[in-house]
Amino acid sequence: MKKYDKTILIVMFFLLLILLSSSLFFFNRSQNDRVAELSDTIIHEFRSALSSEMAELLSFSLALAENGDLKDALKKDDETEGYIILRNIIERFKKHTHMKSLRLQVLTPDFFIFARSWDEGFSGMPLWWFREDLETLKNNKQPKVGMETGRLLTFKSTIPIRSQKTLLGYLEVIRLIDEFSVKLRSRGIELYALMDEVYLEHASLMRDFPRLFGKVIANQNYNISLKRHIEKVDTHKLFEKQFLLKDERLFLWEPMYNGEGDKIGGYLLVLSKESLNNFETDSRNLLRFRQFSQEDIKRALELKGQNYGSFKSGYDRDLVGLLPKLHEEDKRELEQEAREILNLYEKNELIDVILDNKHQEKKRGVVQ
């Protein structure tokens, strides 16, 4: 009887061991699947946010490229006037919008600097000798937007400026990555924008920037205290799987491409345990970026070849369209500019503008 009991106990022990091992296996697998699914969600939202930044920059550039005063300055080859126009535009938008790190630059058709919003002393300096992306622009003369290398790594949109069919030059609208980093941080994500060191040949302003994973940290507002934890991460596993859970932090890796589609580095995203719980347990804490896609960017490019409804230019249309989106105290200066623009319209043209706007409002109000 004792021998029989002993055999039962041994069998039960092994059954419990198998059950425990199976439970641990399925628990680990379930946890890995959960982390993988959560990682996919966050990366999807990050890509949408990145596309949103590009689309916003491109739309803004397309509108500014239609500025009549800027075109006149190019026609007259008046670099000082060009600088004043760009500086005034920047001051207005820094005051009335969230675009605080915005920079504007105008190039001649042969890629010499015509004017910059942040410095008047570089007019006439050639850019073609270190800006490889300009060669493609020279051949197809089409608008482009992307994360671009230069003296700094920045979001950059480059738009041809034309008068009828004549190419007058190119407008470049530039934004630092730091503002994008702040947006992500407010949602619980720490960003490290890492550029490959090979681009330091021309990125003269980044040569003293700190390194991570053998790459250059491009955003200067990165989390310094978190950097020492990141340096312990197994980069081989991270680059292979694109995500890694370590010390209750989630590390995500997303390749970085420029406007030409060339890989120039990567984005490292880091989320704490608290941020992960927020993402997983409450959908209201998910990223709430506008869901721009590559199709949105394509449509923005297509607008370049369309008319402007009842407006005389895309700049007029976008300026008037921007006003309802601003707080009351921020409208005054831009309202004055809108009045000056609309004062140049004939009575019938103003009627058309009003009717078109009413039509758009009704169209947006339809429930499908």
Side-chain angles (χ1 to χ4, degrees):
M1 190 73 177
K2 290 182 179 180
K3 184 177 180 181
Y4 178 74
D5 291 342
K6 185 177 181 181
T7 302
I8 291 177
L9 287 173
I10 292 173
V11 171
M12 289 181 64
F13 172 77
F14 280 105
L15 285 174
L16 287 172
L17 187 63
I18 292 170
L19 182 62
L20 180 61
S21 299
S22 299
S23 298
L24 288 173
F25 171 78
F26 284 111
F27 172 78
N28 289 331
R29 183 173 180 179
S30 175
Q31 185 182 43
N32 287 334
D33 290 344
R34 179 178 62 85
V35 173
E37 183 177 351
L38 186 57
S39 299
D40 287 342
T41 299
I42 296 170
I43 285 295
H44 172 76
E45 297 295 339
F46 172 76
R47 290 172 181 170
S48 295
L50 201 58
S51 293
S52 173
E53 291 291 308
M54 305 292 189
E56 182 179 62
L57 198 64
L58 182 62
S59 298
F60 181 60
S61 306
L62 289 169
L64 285 184
E66 296 301 324
N67 185 295
D69 292 337
L70 189 57
K71 290 183 179 182
D72 289 340
L74 279 165
K75 290 175 183 177
K76 294 184 295 185
D77 196 24
D78 192 333
E79 297 168 345
T80 300
E81 184 179 344
Y83 165 72
I84 293 172
I85 292 169
L86 296 183
R87 185 191 61 190
N88 290 340
I89 291 172
I90 286 296
E91 287 178 353
R92 287 202 305 274
F93 276 85
K94 282 185 176 180
K95 182 178 180 181
H96 299 297
T97 74
H98 62 282
M99 302 185 207
K100 305 302 182 185
S101 69
L102 202 66
R103 293 182 172 187
L104 302 178
Q105 177 170 263
V106 175
L107 310 179
T108 64
D110 48 357
F111 304 119
F112 287 80
I113 294 175
F114 175 73
R116 282 177 165 176
S117 64
W118 69 94
D119 196 326
E120 193 177 1
F122 280 82
S123 297
M125 187 180 85
L127 292 184
W128 49 265
W129 65 276
F130 75 90
R131 287 276 304 275
E132 295 179 1
D133 60 302
L134 295 178
E135 186 62 31
T136 303
L137 195 67
K138 181 179 179 180
N139 294 330
N140 59 35
K141 295 181 175 58
Q142 294 300 312
K144 73 182 190 70
V145 63
M147 183 71 75
E148 300 294 348
T149 56
R151 299 179 73 195
L152 288 171
L153 183 71
T154 57
F155 292 108
K156 186 178 294 176
S157 176
T158 308
I159 308 293
I161 304 174
R162 291 188 173 90
S163 177
Q164 301 300 327
K165 294 184 179 181
T166 302
L167 178 66
L168 300 177
Y170 298 91
L171 171 69
E172 293 201 315
V173 181
I174 304 164
R175 289 180 74 179
L176 299 178
I177 309 170
D178 295 61
E179 285 186 7
F180 184 52
S181 175
V182 170
K183 288 182 182 180
L184 293 177
R185 180 173 291 149
S186 69
R187 290 156 176 82
I189 299 176
E190 291 294 337
L191 172 68
Y192 295 79
L194 305 178
M195 183 188 76
D196 291 341
E197 286 191 316
V198 65
Y199 297 103
L200 285 178
E201 180 182 356
H202 299 307
S204 57
L205 297 180
M206 299 179 63
R207 287 171 187 164
D208 294 329
F209 280 22
R211 308 296 200 270
L212 184 63
F213 300 163
K215 301 178 187 296
V216 184
I217 304 178
N219 56 310
Q220 298 182 67
N221 61 347
Y222 70 93
N223 188 322
I224 299 176
S225 62
L226 191 57
K227 184 173 179 286
R228 60 186 178 88
H229 295 286
I230 298 173
E231 290 171 336
K232 300 176 183 178
V233 168
D234 186 333
T235 54
H236 177 74
K237 287 183 179 179
L238 176 61
F239 295 161
E240 181 182 10
K241 295 179 63 178
Q242 307 286 290
F243 71 90
L244 186 65
L245 188 64
K246 179 179 173 60
D247 298 332
E248 297 188 326
R249 292 185 179 90
L250 179 62
F251 301 88
L252 299 170
W253 180 255
E254 176 73 358
M256 178 191 295
Y257 298 95
N258 63 13
E260 304 296 320
D262 300 321
K263 188 176 177 182
I264 59 174
Y267 303 98
L268 175 67
L269 312 179
V270 186
L271 289 87
S272 66
K273 181 180 179 181
E274 181 182 0
S275 296
L276 283 175
N277 290 337
N278 288 338
F279 270 94
E280 188 173 28
T281 62
D282 190 349
S283 61
R284 290 174 301 176
N285 290 326
L286 289 173
L287 292 174
R288 282 181 168 82
F289 291 107
R290 288 171 292 168
Q291 298 300 302
F292 279 88
S293 65
Q294 293 302 318
E295 285 301 313
D296 293 294
I297 294 179
K298 181 180 178 182
R299 283 194 293 272
L301 283 170
E302 289 171 349
L303 286 175
K304 184 67 178 175
Q306 297 177 1
N307 60 41
Y308 311 111
S310 297
F311 289 97
K312 294 180 179 179
S313 73
Y315 182 77
D316 295 0
R317 177 197 61 202
D318 289 357
L319 176 63
V320 173
L322 177 66
L323 290 174
K325 303 175 184 178
L326 300 176
H327 296 296
E328 288 299 323
E329 62 270 19
D330 294 335
K331 289 183 179 180
R332 295 174 186 170
E333 188 172 342
L334 290 185
E335 278 184 341
Q336 180 59 36
E337 182 173 349
R339 286 193 184 96
E340 291 174 1
I341 287 174
L342 294 177
N343 278 337
L344 301 176
Y345 281 62
E346 300 291 338
K347 179 180 178 181
N348 289 337
E349 292 174 328
L350 288 173
I351 292 173
D352 290 340
V353 167
I354 294 169
L355 291 177
D356 279 356
N357 284 346
K358 287 294 183 183
H359 173 71
Q360 291 296 328
E361 290 171 7
K362 291 179 181 178
K363 187 176 180 180
R364 284 193 294 267
V366 173
V367 179
Q368 299 294 336

